[in-house]
Structure formats: structure tokens, C-alpha cells
Amino acid sequence: MTGKNGLKKLLIGATVVAGLVGGAAAPAAASAAAPEDVQARACGFWVNSRAWAFYTHCTGSVYTVVQVKVVTRTGPGSLICVRPGTVGLGPASVVSNAYYTGRLC
């Protein structure tokens, strides 16, 4: 590869590879859910710019599945089990909060 086109292709290829390697550590749901939102990297409950509610379960070196209480604006809400990573909960007009109950699933 020589010339401008060769250098351009090389840079694009390197960028794609770096993105794939760096993105492999991030959960697929988080990257698909709201890549434009900085809060996608936050732990706990959050809402993206499109008014969609999420819960991100952050974990250290120990893999845990935790119980999360999803609070809805009407009705009793529900208990769900969440693996490490981000899970979409629904529209923020329906889901008002979600929190770790202190229990494992």
C-alpha cells in the first residue's frame, strides 16, 4: 500500500481493529443501547437522551447476577435479575427508577 489511498486504508483498518479490540471489553447491550450517552458507562439507573431507562450492573473481578427492583410510575413494578453490563428497562415515561436490592439471583 503506497500513496494517499494506501495510507487512508491503513488508518481506517487500524481504527476498526482498535474499535473491535476496545469494544470487546464493553457489554454488547451497552454499546447498542446508547453509544452517544456518557451515562452508558455509569453504574445503576440512568436515562439516555432518547428517554429510555437503563440499569447498568458494574462488577469488579467477581461475576455476579444481582436482583434489581424496577420501579414503575404506575403499578407495583417488578424484580429482575441482572448480569454484569447494561439492560434496557423501557421508556422513562413508564420506568421511574431501578435499584439493587442487596440480593443475588
Coordinates of all heavy atoms in Angstrom, one line a residue:
M1 N 0.8 -1.2 0.0 CA 0.0 0.0 0.0 C 0.9 1.2 0.0 O 1.6 1.5 1.0 CB -0.9 0.0 1.3 CG -2.0 -0.9 1.3 SD -3.1 -0.5 2.7 CE -3.1 -2.1 3.5
T2 N 0.8 2.0 -1.0 CA 1.6 3.2 -1.1 C 0.6 4.3 -1.5 O -0.4 4.1 -2.1 CB 2.7 3.1 -2.1 OG1 2.2 2.7 -3.4 CG2 3.7 2.0 -1.7
G3 N 1.1 5.6 -1.3 CA 0.3 6.7 -1.7 C -0.8 7.1 -0.7 O -0.9 6.4 0.3
K4 N -1.6 8.1 -1.0 CA -2.6 8.6 -0.1 C -3.7 7.5 0.1 O -4.1 7.4 1.3 CB -3.3 9.8 -0.8 CG -2.6 11.1 -0.5 CD -3.5 12.2 -1.0 CE -2.9 13.6 -0.6 NZ -3.7 14.7 -1.1
N5 N -4.2 6.8 -0.9 CA -5.2 5.8 -0.7 C -4.8 4.7 0.1 O -5.5 4.2 1.0 CB -5.7 5.3 -2.1 CG -6.6 6.3 -2.8 OD1 -7.1 7.3 -2.2 ND2 -6.7 6.2 -4.1
G6 N -3.5 4.3 0.0 CA -3.0 3.2 0.8 C -2.9 3.6 2.2 O -3.3 2.8 3.1
L7 N -2.4 4.8 2.5 CA -2.3 5.3 3.9 C -3.7 5.4 4.5 O -3.9 5.0 5.7 CB -1.6 6.6 3.9 CG -1.4 7.2 5.3 CD1 -0.6 6.2 6.2 CD2 -0.6 8.5 5.2
K8 N -4.7 5.9 3.7 CA -6.0 6.1 4.2 C -6.6 4.7 4.6 O -7.2 4.6 5.6 CB -6.9 6.8 3.1 CG -8.3 7.1 3.6 CD -9.0 7.9 2.5 CE -10.4 8.3 2.9 NZ -11.1 9.0 1.8
K9 N -6.5 3.7 3.7 CA -7.0 2.4 4.0 C -6.3 1.8 5.3 O -7.0 1.1 6.1 CB -6.8 1.5 2.8 CG -7.7 1.8 1.6 CD -7.4 0.9 0.5 CE -8.3 1.2 -0.7 NZ -8.0 0.4 -1.9
L10 N -5.0 2.0 5.4 CA -4.3 1.5 6.6 C -4.8 2.1 7.8 O -5.1 1.5 8.8 CB -2.8 1.8 6.4 CG -1.9 1.3 7.6 CD1 -2.0 -0.2 7.7 CD2 -0.5 1.8 7.4
L11 N -5.1 3.5 7.8 CA -5.6 4.1 9.0 C -7.0 3.7 9.4 O -7.3 3.5 10.5 CB -5.5 5.7 8.8 CG -4.1 6.3 8.8 CD1 -4.2 7.7 8.5 CD2 -3.5 6.1 10.2
I12 N -7.8 3.5 8.3 CA -9.2 3.1 8.6 C -9.2 1.7 9.1 O -9.9 1.4 10.1 CB -10.0 3.2 7.3 CG1 -10.3 4.6 6.9 CG2 -11.3 2.4 7.4 CD1 -10.9 4.8 5.5
G13 N -8.4 0.8 8.6 CA -8.3 -0.6 9.1 C -7.8 -0.6 10.5 O -8.3 -1.4 11.4
A14 N -6.8 0.2 10.9 CA -6.3 0.2 12.2 C -7.3 0.8 13.2 O -7.5 0.3 14.3 CB -5.0 1.1 12.3
T15 N -8.1 1.7 12.8 CA -9.2 2.3 13.6 C -10.2 1.2 13.9 O -10.7 1.1 15.0 CB -9.8 3.5 12.9 OG1 -8.8 4.5 12.7 CG2 -10.9 4.1 13.8
V16 N -10.6 0.5 12.8 CA -11.6 -0.5 13.0 C -11.1 -1.6 14.0 O -11.9 -2.0 14.9 CB -12.0 -1.2 11.6 CG1 -12.9 -2.4 11.8 CG2 -12.7 -0.1 10.8
V17 N -9.9 -2.1 13.8 CA -9.3 -3.1 14.7 C -9.3 -2.6 16.1 O -9.6 -3.3 17.0 CB -7.9 -3.5 14.2 CG1 -7.3 -4.4 15.2 CG2 -8.1 -4.3 12.9
A18 N -8.8 -1.3 16.3 CA -8.8 -0.8 17.7 C -10.1 -0.7 18.3 O -10.3 -1.0 19.5 CB -8.1 0.6 17.6
G19 N -11.1 -0.4 17.5 CA -12.5 -0.3 18.0 C -13.0 -1.7 18.4 O -13.7 -1.8 19.4
L20 N -12.7 -2.7 17.6 CA -13.2 -4.0 17.9 C -12.5 -4.6 19.1 O -13.1 -5.2 20.0 CB -12.9 -5.0 16.7 CG -13.8 -4.7 15.5 CD1 -13.3 -5.6 14.3 CD2 -15.2 -5.0 15.7
V21 N -11.2 -4.3 19.3 CA -10.5 -4.8 20.5 C -10.9 -4.1 21.7 O -11.2 -4.7 22.7 CB -9.0 -4.6 20.3 CG1 -8.2 -4.9 21.5 CG2 -8.5 -5.6 19.1
G22 N -11.1 -2.7 21.6 CA -11.5 -2.0 22.8 C -13.0 -2.2 23.1 O -13.3 -2.3 24.3
G23 N -13.8 -2.4 22.1 CA -15.2 -2.7 22.3 C -15.5 -4.1 22.9 O -16.6 -4.3 23.4
A24 N -14.6 -5.0 22.7 CA -14.8 -6.3 23.2 C -15.0 -6.4 24.7 O -15.7 -7.3 25.2 CB -13.6 -7.3 22.8
A25 N -14.4 -5.5 25.4 CA -14.5 -5.5 26.9 C -15.8 -4.9 27.3 O -16.3 -5.2 28.4 CB -13.4 -4.6 27.5
A26 N -16.5 -4.1 26.5 CA -17.7 -3.5 26.9 C -18.9 -4.4 26.5 O -18.8 -5.1 25.5 CB -17.9 -2.2 26.1
P27 N -19.9 -4.4 27.3 CA -21.0 -5.3 27.0 C -21.7 -4.9 25.7 O -21.9 -3.7 25.5 CB -22.0 -5.1 28.2 CG -21.4 -4.1 29.1 CD -20.1 -3.7 28.6
A28 N -22.2 -5.8 25.0 CA -22.8 -5.5 23.7 C -24.1 -4.7 23.9 O -24.4 -3.8 23.1 CB -23.1 -6.8 23.0
A29 N -24.8 -5.0 24.9 CA -26.0 -4.2 25.2 C -25.8 -2.8 25.4 O -26.5 -1.9 25.0 CB -26.8 -4.8 26.3
A30 N -24.7 -2.5 26.1 CA -24.4 -1.1 26.4 C -24.0 -0.3 25.1 O -24.4 0.8 24.9 CB -23.2 -1.0 27.4
S31 N -23.2 -0.9 24.3 CA -22.8 -0.2 23.1 C -24.0 -0.1 22.1 O -24.1 0.9 21.4 CB -21.6 -0.9 22.4 OG -22.0 -2.3 22.0
A32 N -24.9 -1.0 22.1 CA -26.0 -1.0 21.2 C -27.1 -0.1 21.8 O -27.9 0.5 21.0 CB -26.6 -2.3 20.9
A33 N -27.2 0.0 23.1 CA -28.2 0.7 23.7 C -28.2 2.2 23.5 O -29.1 2.9 23.1 CB -28.2 0.4 25.2
A34 N -27.0 2.8 23.9 CA -26.9 4.3 23.8 C -25.5 4.7 23.7 O -24.9 5.3 24.6 CB -27.5 4.9 25.1
P35 N -24.9 4.5 22.5 CA -23.4 4.8 22.4 C -23.2 6.3 22.5 O -22.1 6.7 22.9 CB -23.1 4.3 21.0 CG -24.4 4.3 20.3 CD -25.4 4.0 21.3
E36 N -24.2 7.2 22.3 CA -23.9 8.6 22.4 C -24.0 9.1 23.8 O -23.6 10.3 24.0 CB -25.0 9.4 21.5 CG -26.3 9.5 22.1 CD -27.2 8.3 22.0 OE1 -26.8 7.2 21.5 OE2 -28.3 8.3 22.6
D37 N -24.5 8.3 24.7 CA -24.6 8.8 26.1 C -23.4 8.5 27.0 O -23.0 7.3 27.1 CB -25.9 8.2 26.7 CG -27.1 8.7 26.1 OD1 -27.4 8.5 24.9 OD2 -27.8 9.5 26.8
V38 N -22.9 9.5 27.6 CA -21.8 9.3 28.5 C -22.3 8.4 29.7 O -21.5 7.6 30.2 CB -21.3 10.6 29.0 CG1 -20.2 10.5 30.1 CG2 -20.7 11.5 27.9
Q39 N -23.5 8.6 30.1 CA -24.0 7.8 31.2 C -24.1 6.3 31.0 O -24.3 5.6 31.9 CB -25.4 8.3 31.6 CG -25.4 9.7 32.3 CD -26.8 10.1 32.8 OE1 -27.8 9.6 32.3 NE2 -26.8 10.9 33.8
A40 N -23.9 5.9 29.7 CA -23.9 4.5 29.4 C -22.8 3.8 30.2 O -22.9 2.6 30.4 CB -23.8 4.3 27.9
R41 N -21.9 4.5 30.7 CA -20.8 3.9 31.4 C -21.0 4.0 32.9 O -20.2 3.6 33.7 CB -19.5 4.6 31.0 CG -19.1 4.4 29.6 CD -17.8 5.1 29.3 NE -17.5 5.0 27.9 CZ -17.9 5.9 26.9 NH1 -18.7 6.9 27.3 NH2 -17.6 5.7 25.7
A42 N -22.1 4.6 33.4 CA -22.4 4.8 34.8 C -23.0 3.5 35.3 O -23.6 2.7 34.6 CB -23.4 5.9 35.0
C43 N -22.8 3.3 36.6 CA -23.4 2.2 37.3 C -24.8 2.6 37.9 O -25.0 3.7 38.3 CB -22.5 1.7 38.4 SG -20.9 1.2 37.8
G44 N -25.7 1.6 37.8 CA -27.0 1.9 38.4 C -28.0 2.4 37.3 O -27.9 2.1 36.2
F45 N -29.1 3.0 37.8 CA -30.1 3.5 36.9 C -29.8 4.8 36.2 O -29.1 5.7 36.8 CB -31.4 3.8 37.8 CG -32.6 4.3 37.0 CD1 -33.3 3.5 36.3 CD2 -32.9 5.7 37.1 CE1 -34.4 4.0 35.6 CE2 -34.0 6.2 36.4 CZ -34.7 5.3 35.6
W46 N -30.2 4.9 34.9 CA -29.9 6.1 34.2 C -30.9 6.1 33.0 O -31.5 5.1 32.6 CB -28.5 6.2 33.7 CG -27.9 5.1 32.9 CD1 -27.4 3.9 33.4 CD2 -27.8 5.0 31.5 NE1 -27.0 3.1 32.4 CE2 -27.2 3.7 31.2 CE3 -28.1 5.8 30.5 CZ2 -27.0 3.3 29.9 CZ3 -27.9 5.4 29.2 CH2 -27.3 4.2 28.9
V47 N -31.1 7.3 32.4 CA -31.9 7.5 31.3 C -31.1 8.2 30.2 O -30.4 9.2 30.5 CB -33.2 8.4 31.7 CG1 -34.0 8.7 30.5 CG2 -34.0 7.7 32.8
N48 N -31.2 7.7 29.0 CA -30.5 8.3 27.9 C -31.2 9.5 27.3 O -32.3 9.8 27.7 CB -30.1 7.2 26.8 CG -31.3 6.8 25.9 OD1 -32.4 7.2 26.1 ND2 -31.0 5.9 25.0
S49 N -30.6 10.1 26.3 CA -31.1 11.3 25.6 C -32.4 11.0 24.9 O -33.1 11.9 24.5 CB -30.1 11.9 24.7 OG -29.8 11.0 23.7
R50 N -32.7 9.8 24.6 CA -34.0 9.4 23.9 C -35.1 9.0 24.9 O -36.0 8.3 24.5 CB -33.7 8.3 22.9 CG -32.7 8.7 21.8 CD -32.4 7.6 20.9 NE -31.5 8.1 19.9 CZ -30.7 7.3 19.2 NH1 -30.6 6.0 19.5 NH2 -29.8 7.9 18.4
A51 N -34.9 9.3 26.2 CA -35.9 9.0 27.2 C -36.1 7.5 27.4 O -37.2 7.0 27.6 CB -37.2 9.8 27.0
W52 N -35.1 6.7 27.3 CA -35.2 5.3 27.6 C -34.4 4.9 28.8 O -33.3 5.4 29.0 CB -34.6 4.5 26.4 CG -35.0 3.1 26.3 CD1 -34.3 2.0 26.8 CD2 -36.3 2.6 25.8 NE1 -35.1 0.8 26.6 CE2 -36.3 1.2 26.0 CE3 -37.4 3.1 25.2 CZ2 -37.3 0.3 25.6 CZ3 -38.4 2.3 24.8 CH2 -38.4 0.9 25.0
A53 N -35.0 4.2 29.7 CA -34.4 3.8 31.0 C -33.5 2.6 30.9 O -33.8 1.6 30.2 CB -35.5 3.6 32.0
F54 N -32.4 2.6 31.7 CA -31.4 1.5 31.7 C -31.0 1.3 33.1 O -31.0 2.2 34.0 CB -30.2 1.9 30.8 CG -30.4 2.0 29.4 CD1 -30.8 3.2 28.9 CD2 -30.3 0.9 28.5 CE1 -31.1 3.4 27.5 CE2 -30.6 1.1 27.2 CZ -30.9 2.3 26.7
Y55 N -30.4 0.1 33.3 CA -29.7 -0.2 34.6 C -28.4 -0.9 34.2 O -28.4 -1.8 33.4 CB -30.5 -1.2 35.5 CG -29.9 -1.4 36.8 CD1 -30.1 -0.5 37.9 CD2 -28.9 -2.4 37.0 CE1 -29.4 -0.7 39.1 CE2 -28.3 -2.6 38.2 CZ -28.5 -1.7 39.2 OH -27.9 -1.9 40.4
T56 N -27.3 -0.3 34.7 CA -26.0 -0.9 34.4 C -25.5 -1.5 35.7 O -25.3 -0.8 36.7 CB -25.0 0.2 33.9 OG1 -25.6 0.7 32.7 CG2 -23.7 -0.4 33.7
H57 N -25.2 -2.8 35.7 CA -24.6 -3.6 36.8 C -23.1 -3.6 36.6 O -22.7 -4.3 35.7 CB -25.2 -4.9 36.9 CG -24.5 -5.9 37.8 ND1 -24.1 -5.5 39.1 CD2 -24.2 -7.2 37.7 CE1 -23.5 -6.5 39.7 NE2 -23.6 -7.6 38.9
C58 N -22.4 -2.9 37.4 CA -20.9 -2.9 37.3 C -20.4 -3.9 38.3 O -21.0 -4.1 39.4 CB -20.4 -1.5 37.7 SG -21.0 -0.2 36.6
T59 N -19.4 -4.6 38.0 CA -18.8 -5.6 38.8 C -17.3 -5.5 38.7 O -16.7 -5.1 37.7 CB -19.3 -7.0 38.5 OG1 -18.8 -7.9 39.4 CG2 -19.0 -7.4 37.1
G60 N -16.7 -5.9 39.8 CA -15.2 -5.9 39.8 C -14.7 -7.2 39.2 O -15.2 -7.6 38.1
S61 N -13.9 -7.9 39.9 CA -13.3 -9.1 39.3 C -14.2 -10.3 39.6 O -13.9 -11.4 39.1 CB -11.9 -9.4 40.0 OG -12.1 -9.5 41.4
V62 N -15.3 -10.2 40.3 CA -16.2 -11.3 40.6 C -17.5 -11.1 39.8 O -18.1 -10.1 39.8 CB -16.6 -11.3 42.1 CG1 -17.5 -12.4 42.4 CG2 -15.3 -11.4 43.0
Y63 N -17.8 -12.2 39.0 CA -19.0 -12.2 38.2 C -20.2 -12.4 39.1 O -20.3 -13.5 39.8 CB -18.9 -13.2 37.1 CG -20.1 -13.3 36.2 CD1 -20.1 -12.6 35.0 CD2 -21.2 -14.1 36.5 CE1 -21.2 -12.6 34.2 CE2 -22.3 -14.1 35.7 CZ -22.3 -13.4 34.5 OH -23.4 -13.4 33.7
T64 N -21.2 -11.5 39.2 CA -22.4 -11.7 40.0 C -23.6 -11.4 39.2 O -23.6 -10.5 38.3 CB -22.4 -10.8 41.2 OG1 -22.2 -9.5 40.8 CG2 -21.2 -11.2 42.2
V65 N -24.7 -12.0 39.5 CA -26.0 -11.7 38.9 C -26.8 -11.2 40.1 O -27.0 -11.9 41.1 CB -26.7 -12.9 38.3 CG1 -28.0 -12.6 37.7 CG2 -25.8 -13.5 37.2
V66 N -27.3 -10.0 40.0 CA -27.9 -9.3 41.1 C -29.4 -9.1 40.9 O -29.9 -9.1 39.8 CB -27.3 -7.9 41.4 CG1 -25.8 -8.1 41.9 CG2 -27.4 -7.0 40.3
Q67 N -30.2 -9.0 42.0 CA -31.6 -8.7 41.9 C -31.8 -7.2 41.9 O -31.2 -6.5 42.8 CB -32.3 -9.3 43.1 CG -33.8 -9.2 43.1 CD -34.5 -9.8 44.3 OE1 -34.3 -9.2 45.4 NE2 -35.1 -10.9 44.1
V68 N -32.6 -6.7 41.0 CA -32.8 -5.2 40.9 C -34.3 -5.0 40.9 O -35.1 -5.7 40.3 CB -32.3 -4.7 39.5 CG1 -32.7 -3.3 39.3 CG2 -30.7 -4.8 39.5
K69 N -34.8 -4.1 41.7 CA -36.2 -3.7 41.8 C -36.4 -2.6 40.7 O -35.7 -1.5 40.7 CB -36.5 -3.1 43.2 CG -37.9 -2.5 43.3 CD -39.0 -3.5 43.2 CE -40.3 -2.8 43.5 NZ -41.4 -3.7 43.5
V70 N -37.3 -2.8 39.8 CA -37.7 -1.8 38.8 C -38.9 -1.1 39.3 O -40.0 -1.8 39.5 CB -37.9 -2.5 37.4 CG1 -38.3 -1.4 36.4 CG2 -36.7 -3.2 36.9
V71 N -38.8 0.2 39.4 CA -40.0 1.0 39.9 C -40.7 1.6 38.8 O -40.0 2.3 37.9 CB -39.5 2.1 40.9 CG1 -40.6 2.9 41.5 CG2 -38.7 1.5 42.0
T72 N -42.0 1.4 38.7 CA -42.8 2.0 37.6 C -43.6 3.1 38.1 O -43.9 3.2 39.3 CB -43.7 0.9 36.9 OG1 -44.5 0.4 37.9 CG2 -42.8 -0.1 36.3
R73 N -44.0 4.0 37.2 CA -44.8 5.2 37.6 C -46.2 4.7 38.1 O -46.8 5.4 38.9 CB -44.9 6.2 36.5 CG -43.5 6.7 36.2 CD -43.5 7.9 35.2 NE -42.2 8.2 34.8 CZ -41.3 8.9 35.5 NH1 -41.6 9.3 36.7 NH2 -40.1 9.1 35.0
T74 N -46.7 3.6 37.6 CA -48.0 3.1 38.0 C -47.8 1.6 38.2 O -47.0 0.9 37.5 CB -49.1 3.2 36.9 OG1 -48.7 2.6 35.7 CG2 -49.3 4.7 36.6
G75 N -48.4 1.1 39.2 CA -48.3 -0.4 39.5 C -47.2 -0.7 40.4 O -46.4 0.2 40.8
P76 N -47.0 -2.0 40.8 CA -46.1 -2.4 41.8 C -44.6 -2.5 41.3 O -43.7 -2.6 42.1 CB -46.6 -3.8 42.2 CG -47.2 -4.3 41.0 CD -47.8 -3.1 40.3
G77 N -44.4 -2.4 40.0 CA -43.0 -2.6 39.5 C -42.7 -4.1 39.5 O -43.6 -5.0 39.5
S78 N -41.4 -4.4 39.4 CA -41.0 -5.9 39.4 C -39.6 -6.1 39.8 O -38.8 -5.1 39.9 CB -41.2 -6.4 37.9 OG -40.3 -5.7 37.1
L79 N -39.3 -7.3 40.1 CA -37.9 -7.7 40.5 C -37.3 -8.4 39.2 O -38.0 -9.3 38.7 CB -37.9 -8.6 41.7 CG -38.3 -8.0 43.0 CD1 -38.4 -9.1 44.0 CD2 -37.3 -6.9 43.4
I80 N -36.1 -8.1 38.9 CA -35.4 -8.7 37.8 C -34.0 -9.1 38.2 O -33.5 -8.6 39.1 CB -35.4 -7.9 36.5 CG1 -34.6 -6.6 36.7 CG2 -36.8 -7.5 36.0 CD1 -34.3 -5.8 35.5
C81 N -33.4 -10.1 37.5 CA -32.1 -10.5 37.7 C -31.2 -9.8 36.6 O -31.6 -9.9 35.4 CB -31.9 -12.0 37.7 SG -32.7 -12.8 39.1
V82 N -30.1 -9.2 37.0 CA -29.3 -8.5 36.0 C -27.8 -9.0 36.1 O -27.2 -9.1 37.1 CB -29.3 -7.0 36.3 CG1 -28.4 -6.2 35.4 CG2 -30.7 -6.4 36.3
R83 N -27.3 -9.4 34.9 CA -25.9 -9.8 34.7 C -25.1 -8.6 34.6 O -25.6 -7.5 34.4 CB -25.8 -10.6 33.5 CG -26.5 -11.9 33.5 CD -26.3 -12.7 32.2 NE -27.2 -13.8 32.1 CZ -27.7 -14.3 31.1 NH1 -27.5 -13.7 29.9 NH2 -28.5 -15.3 31.1
P84 N -23.8 -8.7 34.8 CA -22.9 -7.5 34.6 C -23.1 -6.9 33.2 O -23.3 -7.7 32.2 CB -21.5 -8.1 34.7 CG -21.7 -9.3 35.6 CD -23.0 -9.8 35.2
G85 N -23.2 -5.6 33.1 CA -23.5 -4.9 31.9 C -24.7 -4.1 32.0 O -25.2 -3.8 33.1
T86 N -25.3 -3.7 30.8 CA -26.4 -2.8 30.8 C -27.6 -3.5 30.2 O -27.5 -4.2 29.3 CB -26.1 -1.6 29.9 OG1 -25.0 -0.9 30.5 CG2 -27.3 -0.6 29.8
V87 N -28.8 -3.2 30.9 CA -30.0 -3.8 30.4 C -31.0 -2.7 30.2 O -31.1 -1.8 31.0 CB -30.6 -4.9 31.4 CG1 -30.9 -4.3 32.8 CG2 -31.8 -5.6 30.8
G88 N -31.7 -2.7 29.1 CA -32.8 -1.7 28.9 C -34.0 -2.1 29.6 O -34.4 -3.2 29.7
L89 N -34.6 -1.1 30.3 CA -35.8 -1.3 31.1 C -37.1 -0.9 30.5 O -38.2 -1.3 30.9 CB -35.6 -0.6 32.5 CG -34.4 -1.0 33.3 CD1 -34.3 -0.1 34.5 CD2 -34.4 -2.5 33.6
G90 N -37.0 0.0 29.5 CA -38.2 0.5 28.9 C -38.2 2.1 28.9 O -37.3 2.7 29.3
P91 N -39.3 2.6 28.4 CA -39.4 4.1 28.3 C -39.4 4.7 29.7 O -40.0 4.2 30.6 CB -40.7 4.4 27.5 CG -41.5 3.1 27.6 CD -40.5 2.0 27.9
A92 N -38.7 5.9 29.8 CA -38.7 6.6 31.1 C -40.0 7.1 31.5 O -40.2 7.4 32.7 CB -37.7 7.7 31.0
S93 N -41.0 7.2 30.6 CA -42.3 7.6 30.9 C -43.0 6.5 31.7 O -44.0 6.8 32.4 CB -43.1 7.9 29.7 OG -43.2 6.8 28.8
V94 N -42.5 5.3 31.7 CA -43.1 4.2 32.4 C -42.2 3.8 33.6 O -42.7 3.6 34.7 CB -43.3 2.9 31.5 CG1 -43.7 1.7 32.3 CG2 -44.2 3.2 30.4
V95 N -40.9 3.7 33.4 CA -39.9 3.3 34.5 C -39.4 4.6 35.1 O -38.8 5.4 34.5 CB -38.8 2.5 33.9 CG1 -37.8 2.1 35.0 CG2 -39.3 1.2 33.2
S96 N -39.6 4.7 36.4 CA -39.1 5.9 37.1 C -37.8 5.7 37.9 O -37.1 6.6 38.2 CB -40.1 6.4 38.1 OG -40.4 5.4 39.1
N97 N -37.4 4.4 38.2 CA -36.2 4.1 38.9 C -35.9 2.6 38.9 O -36.8 1.8 38.6 CB -36.3 4.6 40.3 CG -35.0 4.7 41.0 OD1 -33.9 4.5 40.4 ND2 -34.9 5.1 42.3
A98 N -34.7 2.2 39.2 CA -34.3 0.8 39.4 C -33.2 0.8 40.4 O -32.3 1.7 40.3 CB -33.9 0.2 38.1
Y99 N -33.1 -0.1 41.3 CA -32.1 -0.2 42.3 C -31.8 -1.6 42.7 O -32.6 -2.5 42.6 CB -32.4 0.7 43.5 CG -33.7 0.3 44.2 CD1 -33.6 -0.7 45.2 CD2 -34.9 0.8 43.9 CE1 -34.8 -1.1 45.9 CE2 -36.1 0.4 44.5 CZ -36.0 -0.5 45.5 OH -37.2 -0.9 46.1
Y100 N -30.5 -1.8 43.1 CA -30.0 -3.1 43.6 C -30.7 -3.4 45.0 O -30.7 -2.5 45.9 CB -28.5 -3.0 43.7 CG -27.9 -4.2 44.4 CD1 -28.1 -5.5 44.1 CD2 -27.0 -4.0 45.4 CE1 -27.5 -6.6 44.7 CE2 -26.3 -5.0 46.1 CZ -26.6 -6.3 45.7 OH -26.0 -7.4 46.3
T101 N -31.3 -4.5 45.1 CA -32.0 -4.9 46.4 C -31.0 -5.4 47.5 O -31.5 -5.6 48.6 CB -33.0 -5.9 46.1 OG1 -32.4 -7.1 45.7 CG2 -34.1 -5.5 45.1
G102 N -29.8 -5.7 47.1 CA -28.9 -6.3 48.1 C -28.8 -7.8 48.0 O -28.1 -8.4 48.8
R103 N -29.6 -8.4 47.1 CA -29.6 -9.8 46.9 C -29.0 -10.3 45.6 O -29.1 -9.5 44.6 CB -31.0 -10.3 47.0 CG -31.7 -10.0 48.3 CD -33.1 -10.6 48.4 NE -33.6 -10.4 49.7 CZ -34.8 -10.8 50.1 NH1 -35.5 -11.5 49.3 NH2 -35.2 -10.6 51.3
L104 N -28.5 -11.5 45.6 CA -28.0 -12.1 44.4 C -29.1 -13.0 43.8 O -30.0 -13.5 44.6 CB -26.8 -12.9 44.6 CG -25.6 -12.2 45.2 CD1 -24.4 -13.2 45.5 CD2 -25.1 -11.1 44.2
C105 N -29.1 -13.3 42.5 CA -30.0 -14.2 41.9 C -29.4 -15.6 41.8 O -28.3 -15.7 41.6 CB -30.4 -13.7 40.5 SG -31.5 -12.2 40.6

